[in-house]
Every structure is written in structure tokens, then in C-alpha cells.
Amino acid sequence: MKEKNTAIKKQEEAFNFLKDKIFITNNFKILMKKINVIVVGCTGYIGIELIKILINHKYVSIINICGNTSVGKNLSSYDRSLKNYKLPRIKKFSSKMLNDIDIVFTALPNGGSQKISKKIKNKKIILIDLSADFRLKNYLDYETSYKIKHLSKDLLKKSIYSIPEIKKEEIKKFNIIASPGCYPTSILLPLLPLISKNLIKKKNIIIDSKSGYSGAGRSIHKKFKNKNLYESISAYGISNHRHNPEIQQEFKKQSGKNVEFTFTPHLSPMFRGILSTIYIDINKNSSMYKIVGCLNKYYKDSMFVKIDQNKLISTNDIINTNYCFISVLKSKFKNKLIILSALDNLIKGGAGQAVQSMNIRMGFNEYESLL
């Protein structure tokens, strides 16, 4: 009875949140009013991609876009493809902007979203963060990885790490949504179902990931000044990349214990896209047939995750989309398999995934503005 009452209460809360957002026409057709959105951190690669998706969303009104060094400018000065859209000029964020706002998107450097969260006094406002500020449940992991003191530790338990295909029902219950990192998304989508079904060994997982340089943000051009950014590939963050705790956290939730994996990211001479090559050892009761079957079953209702077998996929397959393509391939060893996972780091690994979470949380069509 207690569980039933809890379910009824959650349904009532969802209705109360949405009731001001709908109206009924003379022919009794229910229509959704637009929600008011603010984007803080609009000029980075992720922020611009987010704006591009939101301007085509039929249930969203962008009320303000915010930046720091870009105040007073038009966003089209950062991306000419936006010049024909009517967007507000960039402003410096202030808490006054939160009046009559439904959703705040933060695409800020790590640490910035924590400060914004402190200024949100209206408990109905939803915060969707594209940084790492609310991804790690243990604030000590965050402070160790990012070298920043966590200012909103009390809100971590009120946030959800949101991979839409994996946590669809849970997302509906939270007002702080942490959108995952691009590398972890490419890794967790293929591996979490297999770990949960105990089809692969939880030791010696090797992950080799290559990303377009947009994943490093605009500052990458300063770091590579007078160097061959567009003609070289480089490994970085070996053994201590910031995304390691994020990946381990989600692995442990599925397996109940730590999973031994080696993750090596590479910066590639392409603007966008991620290709992760994952080497796994399979359990005795497992097989390629079972692994492909598991992934197909798990994602059978997921529009944006596509599973293949023995197919060579590339970033070219997913550029400018919200899809993740996964292919399971044989290796030359009987007890080993290779998984390829490809996605666009700015969309499925960033802005698109965040909007997908918003659609689920708000009760919109999950695919709205993403196809």
C-alpha cells in the first residue's frame, strides 16, 4: 500500500508541474504551452550546439542566453549559421533571470553550475548541467579529479546521472539532471547491459577512445598554438583521466563492485565525433550471439542506439546526429570480443543527450527536435 501511495503521489506531482503548461482548445484537444528556458554558457561548442537544437524545439522558448566575455554580442558572431534566427543578445547571468523560468541549462566550465544551483530558490525549476558538477555522487571523487572544491554537496543526492536510454523512468523524478560526459556515454551504452547480465569479465577491459578536438573546448586552439592540431593525434590523461571515476561509478552500480578497466583517450585531427574501441573477455556462459542479443533486447525501444554485428563503423555514420552506433566484432581469440562505439561528442555526447533528458523529464516526445 505504501508503494502504491508513493506512486500516486509522484503522478500528482508530475501533473501539478505540467498543469500550467497545457491548455484545452474548443475541440478539447490538449496542447502544450512552451516552456521558458535559459542557457548559461552559450558560446562554447556544446553551448552553441544546444542552442541549435533548442531553437527547433516546438515546446521551448529561449528567454536568455548568457556568457561572460561575450556580453552584448550576438551568438551569430560565434556561429554564422545562427544569423537568421531571432535570439536574445548575450547577457551576464543574474538570479533575476530565473523569474518565470522552467529550465536552466548550464554549459559552463566545471564549478560554474554549482554556483548557479545555489541561486535557484524556486524548487520547480529544473537544472540540466552539461559539466561534471553533479555527475559524481562522492564529492571527494569530484574534488580529486577536478581540483575544485564542491560548493553544492547537499544537492548531489538530489541529482541524477542521466543516460536517457538507461535511466528513463528515474529521470522523471529529479530536478537536477547531470548529463554524462561524451567519452563515458560511448563506453557505458555498450558495456552496462553486458555487465548487468554478467556476460563479460569485470577485469582487463581495455578502452581505446578517439575524439574530435571540439571535445576539448575552444581553449584547445591556445594549447596547440603553432602546433599541428589538424595533422596529429595524441594520447592524454593516461591512467588518470577525469572521466575514470564517472565510468567506475556507473560500472559499480551495475556490478556491485569495482570493475578493472584501462581507459586511454586520444585527441584526433577531426572537429567532432568519438570512436571507442573496447576489448572484452567474455564469460564461459557467454558468446557473441548472447552479447548481441542482450544489446538488441536492452535497446529495442531506444531510437538512438543502433546495434550491429561484425560491421566496421566510423564517426562518419553518426556526425551531426543524436545516435550511438555499436558494433560487436570477433577477435582472433575465442574468448575475446571487440566492441566499436561511435557517437557525436557534441550531440549524443553532449547537447542532444541533455535535450533528450529534458524531453523525458517534461513529458514531451523523447525525440522532439533530435531527428
Side-chain angles (χ1 to χ4, degrees), residues 309-366:
Q309 182 174 335
N310 284 322
K311 180 179 179 181
L312 295 175
I313 58 175
S314 72
T315 55
N316 186 59
D317 298 318
I318 47 73
I319 291 297
N320 294 310
T321 77
N322 196 54
Y323 287 94
C324 176
F325 280 15
I326 297 168
S327 183
V328 184
L329 300 96
K330 294 178 181 178
S331 80
K332 63 181 180 179
F333 300 106
K334 185 177 179 181
N335 63 337
K336 294 178 181 287
L337 292 174
I338 301 168
I339 298 177
L340 300 178
S341 177
L343 54 76
D344 187 318
N345 58 297
L346 297 181
I347 303 183
K348 186 56 179 168
Q353 183 155 248
V355 172
Q356 190 179 350
S357 290
M358 177 196 75
N359 287 339
I360 293 169
R361 177 61 182 84
M362 297 301 297
F364 303 143
N365 183 321
E366 183 178 345

Side-chain angles (χ1 to χ4, degrees), residues 2 30-31 35 56 59 74-75 156 164 199 205 211 266 289 336-337 350-351 356:
K2 185 178 180 181
I30 296 178
L31 299 175
I35 59 171
N56 291 309
Y59 298 131
N74 289 315
L75 195 59
L156 289 174
L199 292 174
I205 298 173
S211 172
H266 299 77
Y289 174 80
K336 294 178 181 287
L337 292 174
Q356 190 179 350

Side-chain angles (χ1 to χ4, degrees), residues 183-196:
Y183 281 126
T185 300
S186 73
I187 295 161
L188 296 172
L189 280 170
L191 291 186
L192 285 183
L194 305 181
I195 288 173
S196 68

Side-chain angles (χ1 to χ4, degrees), residues 98-347:
L98 297 174
N99 295 332
D100 300 318
I101 291 296
D102 298 296
I103 294 182
V104 179
F105 283 96
T106 46
L108 294 164
N110 296 312
S113 184
Q114 299 170 37
K115 297 173 184 177
I116 300 292
S117 71
K118 291 287 189 182
K119 297 180 180 181
I120 298 176
K121 306 302 181 184
N122 185 343
K123 293 182 179 179
K124 290 185 178 181
I125 294 176
I126 295 167
L127 172 65
I128 301 180
D129 180 33
L130 288 90
S131 78
D133 282 4
F134 294 98
R135 291 175 188 162
L136 295 171
K137 291 301 181 183
N138 186 334
Y139 75 90
L140 293 175
D141 288 339
Y142 176 88
E143 292 181 350
T144 300
S145 296
Y146 294 93
K147 315 302 180 189
I148 301 171
K149 188 173 179 60
H150 207 295
L151 304 176
S152 299
K153 295 189 286 287
D154 56 317
L155 296 178
L156 289 174
K157 62 181 179 295
K158 298 180 180 179
S159 67
I160 183 170
Y161 183 86
S162 170
I163 299 179
E165 287 80 9
I166 293 172
K167 301 188 179 180
K168 187 171 183 176
E169 292 306 313
E170 296 172 72
I171 291 169
K172 299 173 184 177
K173 305 170 189 175
F174 287 84
N175 279 5
I176 299 178
I177 296 172
S179 209
C182 50
Y183 281 126
T185 300
S186 73
I187 295 161
L188 296 172
L189 280 170
L191 291 186
L192 285 183
L194 305 181
I195 288 173
S196 68
K197 295 298 182 181
N198 199 32
L199 292 174
I200 64 174
K201 293 188 183 298
K202 300 175 182 68
K203 292 184 177 181
N204 198 36
I205 298 173
I206 299 172
I207 306 161
D208 181 299
S209 297
K210 296 175 177 63
S211 172
Y213 62 82
S214 60
R218 292 187 184 278
S219 62
I220 192 65
H221 296 281
K222 296 178 182 177
K223 293 177 184 177
F224 274 79
K225 193 174 182 181
N226 299 324
K227 294 184 180 179
N228 298 319
L229 172 62
Y230 310 111
E231 297 176 356
S232 66
I233 184 168
S234 57
Y236 66 102
I238 295 176
S239 79
N240 63 352
H241 190 273
R242 291 174 169 185
H243 283 149
N244 273 295
E246 184 179 335
I247 296 166
Q248 186 63 267
Q249 171 183 274
E250 298 307 304
F251 279 166
K252 191 172 183 179
K253 284 180 184 177
Q254 292 293 339
S255 67
K257 59 183 180 180
N258 285 336
V259 173
E260 292 182 15
F261 67 93
T262 301
F263 166 55
T264 304
H266 299 77
L267 194 67
S268 301
M270 57 186 185
F271 177 64
R272 62 199 301 161
I274 283 179
L275 180 68
S276 288
T277 305
I278 306 168
Y279 304 88
I280 56 172
D281 295 326
I282 64 175
N283 284 328
K284 288 182 180 179
N285 66 332
S286 186
S287 65
M288 186 171 191
Y289 174 80
K290 286 185 177 181
I291 282 176
V292 173
C294 172
L295 292 173
N296 274 320
K297 183 177 181 181
Y298 196 94
Y299 294 115
K300 64 182 174 65
D301 297 321
S302 299
M303 167 76 76
F304 295 121
V305 180
K306 301 297 183 185
I307 311 299
D308 261 304
Q309 182 174 335
N310 284 322
K311 180 179 179 181
L312 295 175
I313 58 175
S314 72
T315 55
N316 186 59
D317 298 318
I318 47 73
I319 291 297
N320 294 310
T321 77
N322 196 54
Y323 287 94
C324 176
F325 280 15
I326 297 168
S327 183
V328 184
L329 300 96
K330 294 178 181 178
S331 80
K332 63 181 180 179
F333 300 106
K334 185 177 179 181
N335 63 337
K336 294 178 181 287
L337 292 174
I338 301 168
I339 298 177
L340 300 178
S341 177
L343 54 76
D344 187 318
N345 58 297
L346 297 181
I347 303 183

